[in-house]
Amino acid sequence: MQPHEINQYIQEKGYFYLNEGELDVHLFHEGTFYKSYEFLGAHAINRFEVNAVRFVVWAPNAHQVNLIGEFNDWDPSRHPMQRIKNSGLWQICVVNVQPFDSYKYHIVGPDHSIHYKADPYAFHAEERPQTASKYYDLSGYQWHDDAWCIQRDQSDPYHSPLNIYEVNLLSWRQKHDGKQYSYHDLAHELIPYVKDLGYTHIELMPIMEHPYDGSWGYQLTGYFAPTSRYGTPKDFMFFIDQCHQNDIGVILDWVPGHFCKDAHGLYHFDGGACFESSDYERAHNEQWGTVNFDYSKPEVNAFLISNLFYWHELYHVDGIRIDAVAYMLYLNFGGQLLKNKYGGVENLEAIDFIKKMNQIVFQYFPHTLMMAEESTSWPMVSRPISDGGLGFNYKWNMGWMNDILEYMELDPIFRKGFHKALTFSLTYAFTENFVLPLSHDEVVHGKKSLLSKMPGSYEEKFAGLRLLYTYMMAHPGKKLLFMGGEFGQFIEWNEWQALDFHLLDYEAHQKLKQFVKDLNWTYRQNNCFYELDTSYDGYEWIEVDNSNESVISFERINKKGERLVIVLNFTPIERKNYPVGVTIPGKYETILNSAAIKYGGTMANGPQIYTSKKELMHHRYHAIRITLPPYGGLYFKLKED
């Protein structure tokens, strides 16, 4: 047939098939196709002078796959897909598909059961409760974040400030009529808010498409589709672009461990075990009612690693926080009695996948952040694979978080018996590259908000929370605070409603927010807090064992040997003339006082200056004697002459 005859035939028939992409097919089944989103899914093509959209889907167990959508009145007989030779992939090229057209795959399983599935590689989806995919062309967005990307790729995250504001977009703020903000609304309101408070990064709880708001985005159906709750994919690109233009990095939460059982999602995708294992116990996560990925399948490896490439390359994200890594590492972490082939409880395939994932991602995106939420004592999570580690570059410090929150909830009279909870974290603080998280998980399910956890009177609760933040910011490790913590949300986080920003009408909450802002900027402007953040060279105890008075003090040190002195009082008792040993004699000036009147405390707002005297104290030859306020945290800096 001549080209014009082929063109006419295709236009009359409405679809055609292509015999091309053999290398892509091979690499996908080999598990090494790290841009598989460029082949699978729905993509515009031009062949035989015909504009069409090619659909490719992985359904190895299927008896037949048909494409259904708005363009064929959802009729399975109109567009039968063709299995690509010697593969588990199916394809069809369809003319007259329009942007935003909804579609699904009508899959006939090996037992002839019928399954209506969204596209695992779809770039866009219908807004819940609708469940179809939408054809969407990602090309054409004009980025304006070159300056940010250059600066990011030249920076050293280990020796730079990293202070993260964790956000659930649905419940940060809502409009007066209860409607959710769009990506554009959030760009205009969330970004200036975060920038003013002094955070360096925003971490978004999963924004990949998910059916149920109550899952917080941790049970996904569309890994390649930013949720349509807030707009289109290009709207989300705009949000990230605006973050970068305002010098704010973006970290996405990501869930490579498990997925939900919703009928249109990945579960039982082609009528058989596709993304999951055929072993029921290995496949099913009974604790969460979800299904685990099967990392032994090369195609699952390609799917997940491609997803990381996708968010980095097409959306310019600056990092990924990997959820529930412990559930990936251990076969029995969810309570199941499973063993590997050697009789151990480690998930060998998941471990191999994690190492491969990190190795490949850092090969192509060397300046990204790969943060593991890993809650066990698994060693070397954030150490290089070449040294025997898992290859992440950060790990959430769940031990510090549990210890400090348990300690802060105690009545101060009992704290002296639990002093180790304050100090134990320093025995392992440099075994990993840690992030200190006060995350969403700590303010839900009856755990109370951070402010409500604090014991004592109304005023003491605020003082205790300021003290907690003061300790957190001075403790080695990067920082993360969940939204609402900055102004003292009193009730637990509720994903169905906006934060209680009306609390800022009250003075105590206003002052707490101002304190958090000043604390964040104090952290960023003093490199003693972060320049040697991964080494004992950057930390030195002054007083570690004063359990009777519940006081600790220490120094944070930069590369030049300059020191900040941190003194923290975890009781409601003022201590006058309190001795603090100092390494260098001179005048010491407060650069932050959590008990200042402007923050809701009782001490004068201006900096206090204390002159050291020759006095053997805390293994040092000089000391300052200070007024240590109740529930007070003080940062001191040697005053230059």
Side-chain angles (χ1 to χ4, degrees):
M1 296 176 68
Q2 298 298 315
H4 71 279
E5 294 175 309
I6 296 174
N7 183 307
Q8 183 178 356
Y9 174 79
I10 290 173
Q11 294 289 357
E12 291 173 355
K13 193 173 183 181
Y15 67 90
F16 61 97
Y17 305 110
L18 284 179
N19 293 318
E20 57 184 56
E22 290 184 7
L23 179 59
D24 292 340
V25 172
H26 170 77
L27 293 175
F28 178 70
H29 286 305
E30 187 180 65
T32 58
F33 192 8
Y34 304 132
K35 293 187 180 182
S36 57
Y37 55 84
E38 294 182 346
F39 181 62
L40 283 87
H43 298 276
I45 61 166
N46 183 282
R47 297 292 188 277
F48 317 113
E49 300 179 355
V50 174
N51 291 319
V53 176
R54 190 186 194 193
F55 296 84
V56 179
V57 64
W58 180 52
N61 301 299
H63 176 73
Q64 175 60 43
V65 181
N66 306 299
L67 180 67
I68 56 175
E70 291 184 80
F71 39 80
N72 64 11
D73 297 323
W74 304 93
D75 182 352
S77 67
R78 296 265 298 274
H79 291 111
M81 299 183 75
Q82 181 185 79
R83 186 186 289 271
I84 298 176
K85 185 178 180 181
N86 300 321
S87 82
L89 298 168
W90 299 74
Q91 59 113 356
I92 191 171
C93 304
V94 181
V95 298
N96 297 321
V97 176
Q98 302 302 315
F100 298 100
D101 274 357
S102 298
Y103 70 96
K104 280 188 177 181
Y105 296 113
H106 170 272
I107 298 176
V108 182
D111 59 354
H112 294 275
S113 58
I114 304 299
H115 307 267
Y116 294 90
K117 293 292 185 176
D119 187 347
Y121 280 86
F123 297 152
H124 195 28
E126 291 182 321
E127 186 174 350
R128 50 124 175 61
Q130 303 303 314
T131 59
S133 302
K134 286 187 174 184
Y135 168 61
Y136 191 88
D137 185 358
L138 288 177
S139 64
Y141 181 80
Q142 297 297 314
W143 289 87
H144 299 91
D145 64 346
D146 287 354
W148 166 266
C149 293
I150 292 170
Q151 176 271 330
R152 175 193 64 194
D153 293 347
Q154 292 176 345
S155 67
D156 177 359
Y158 303 111
H159 306 111
S160 302
L162 180 56
N163 190 10
I164 304 164
Y165 186 72
E166 186 189 25
V167 182
N168 174 266
L169 293 183
L170 189 66
S171 58
W172 179 69
R173 261 192 178 139
Q174 294 172 358
K175 298 181 180 179
H176 294 301
D177 57 4
K179 291 184 179 179
Q180 62 213 22
Y181 276 27
S182 69
Y183 290 123
H184 277 260
D185 294 331
L186 290 160
H188 295 308
E189 294 204 27
L190 174 61
I191 294 172
Y193 181 84
V194 171
K195 183 176 182 178
D196 177 65
L197 283 172
Y199 290 97
T200 65
H201 289 70
I202 294 174
E203 181 176 317
L204 302 178
M205 293 169 69
I207 53 80
M208 299 81 181
E209 196 58 78
H210 53 283
Y212 180 50
D213 294 353
S215 78
W216 310 336
Y218 289 101
Q219 297 186 14
L220 302 176
T221 51
Y223 276 75
F224 290 83
T227 179
S228 55
R229 286 166 173 80
Y230 318 114
T232 69
K234 288 180 182 175
D235 292 335
F236 186 50
M237 290 178 181
F238 173 81
F239 174 81
I240 295 177
D241 200 1
Q242 289 297 305
C243 284
H244 288 172
Q245 291 180 53
N246 284 276
D247 297 321
I248 297 171
V250 178
I251 300 166
L252 302 184
D253 269 20
W254 188 57
V255 192
H258 63 116
F259 51 89
C260 61
K261 291 184 178 180
D262 291 61
H264 67 287
L266 302 181
Y267 177 54
H268 215 55
F269 184 79
D270 55 5
C274 188
F275 289 88
E276 69 272 26
S277 171
S278 58
D279 182 329
Y280 182 92
E281 288 190 324
R282 277 205 161 206
H284 288 259
N285 187 322
E286 300 293 352
Q287 185 173 354
W288 287 340
T290 56
V291 185
N292 302 316
F293 280 106
D294 183 357
Y295 307 105
S296 70
K297 295 177 180 176
E299 297 87 353
V300 170
N301 280 237
F303 173 80
L304 291 172
I305 296 176
S306 290
N307 195 232
L308 291 174
F309 269 66
Y310 171 79
W311 293 111
H312 280 91
E313 191 160 87
L314 276 69
Y315 288 86
H316 296 200
V317 300
D318 305 286
I320 301 288
R321 178 263 193 185
I322 296 84
D323 182 62
V325 172
Y327 281 86
M328 300 171 68
L329 293 173
Y330 293 97
L331 293 168
N332 65 342
F333 197 78
Q336 293 155 300
L337 300 176
L338 296 173
K339 303 283 186 179
N340 61 38
K341 62 183 179 181
Y342 301 112
V345 296
E346 301 83 7
N347 187 335
L348 302 178
E349 294 83 7
I351 294 166
D352 287 343
F353 165 74
I354 288 170
K355 290 180 178 181
K356 177 182 178 182
M357 169 190 76
N358 284 323
Q359 183 179 28
I360 296 299
V361 167
F362 282 115
Q363 179 181 340
Y364 288 89
F365 307 100
H367 300 283
T368 193
L369 306 170
M370 292 291 284
M371 299 178 167
E373 188 225 3
E374 203 286 311
S375 54
T376 75
S377 58
W378 190 284
M380 304 181 70
V381 171
S382 59
R383 293 293 181 256
I385 297 166
S386 58
D387 294 340
L390 290 180
F392 294 100
N393 55 359
Y394 283 101
K395 173 182 174 175
W396 274 25
N397 192 337
M398 313 294 277
W400 172 85
M401 177 198 69
N402 290 325
D403 284 349
I404 193 61
L405 291 180
E406 182 179 357
Y407 181 86
M408 294 302 297
E409 288 191 74
L410 290 170
D411 187 301
I413 198 170
F414 299 117
R415 287 179 176 173
K416 61 185 177 182
F418 294 87
H419 193 71
K420 184 179 178 182
L422 277 181
T423 61
F424 179 70
S425 58
L426 270 300
T427 65
Y428 62 85
F430 307 106
T431 60
E432 302 275 5
N433 301 324
F434 280 121
V435 174
L436 308 181
L438 294 175
S439 74
H440 65 275
D441 276 329
E442 306 316 308
V443 294
V444 291
H445 302 325
K447 295 180 181 178
K448 301 185 291 188
S449 71
L450 292 179
L451 184 60
S452 294
K453 291 178 195 287
M454 302 298 114
S457 66
Y458 180 81
E459 292 79 13
E460 287 174 331
K461 285 181 179 293
F462 282 92
L465 190 56
R466 295 194 303 270
L467 178 60
L468 169 61
Y469 293 162
T470 305
Y471 183 37
M472 173 187 180
M473 204 60 70
H475 190 289
K478 308 310 182 184
K479 326 298 175 185
L480 179 142
L481 181 66
F482 184 57
M483 63 183 196
E486 73 278 9
F487 61 79
Q489 178 88 359
F490 246 123
I491 64 171
E492 283 189 343
W493 170 53
N494 183 343
E495 67 269 17
W496 305 106
Q497 66 186 45
L499 296 178
D500 291 333
F501 279 100
H502 66 271
L503 291 174
L504 289 170
D505 293 337
Y506 299 91
E507 185 179 37
H509 296 273
Q510 290 176 7
K511 288 183 174 181
L512 177 61
K513 182 186 172 190
Q514 184 63 50
F515 170 74
V516 170
K517 175 180 176 178
D518 291 352
L519 179 66
N520 289 346
W521 284 107
T522 298
Y523 164 73
R524 291 182 66 170
Q525 292 165 0
N526 289 274
N527 61 11
C528 288
F529 286 123
Y530 55 79
E531 203 170 62
L532 295 175
D533 210 26
T534 59
S535 166
Y536 278 110
D537 293 338
Y539 187 93
E540 192 171 310
W541 279 112
I542 297 174
E543 185 176 33
V544 64
D545 56 1
N546 187 357
S547 59
N548 194 51
E549 294 179 301
S550 298
V551 174
I552 60 172
S553 56
F554 52 88
E555 291 176 306
R556 295 303 311 275
I557 309 164
N558 66 13
K559 292 179 180 178
K560 295 181 179 178
E562 297 168 337
R563 296 166 181 256
L564 293 180
V565 174
I566 293 88
V567 188
L568 307 166
N569 176 16
F570 289 89
T571 68
I573 300 170
E574 182 181 78
R575 305 191 186 281
K576 293 183 180 293
N577 205 36
Y578 192 86
V580 180
V582 294
T583 304
I584 304 169
K587 294 181 178 181
Y588 283 79
E589 179 180 21
T590 53
I591 60 171
L592 186 114
N593 180 355
S594 74
I597 292 173
K598 63 181 177 179
Y599 303 137
T602 59
M603 292 190 70
N605 288 328
Q608 288 84 46
I609 298 175
Y610 298 93
T611 302
S612 69
K613 294 184 179 180
K614 194 169 185 180
E615 180 181 2
L616 185 61
M617 184 64 60
H618 304 137
H619 305 288
R620 290 158 170 81
Y621 293 105
H622 300 85
I624 56 175
R625 289 192 170 261
I626 67 173
T627 297
L628 188 54
Y631 290 132
L634 302 172
Y635 296 166
F636 295 96
K637 190 173 188 177
L638 187 64
K639 186 174 174 61
E640 297 180 2
D641 294 331

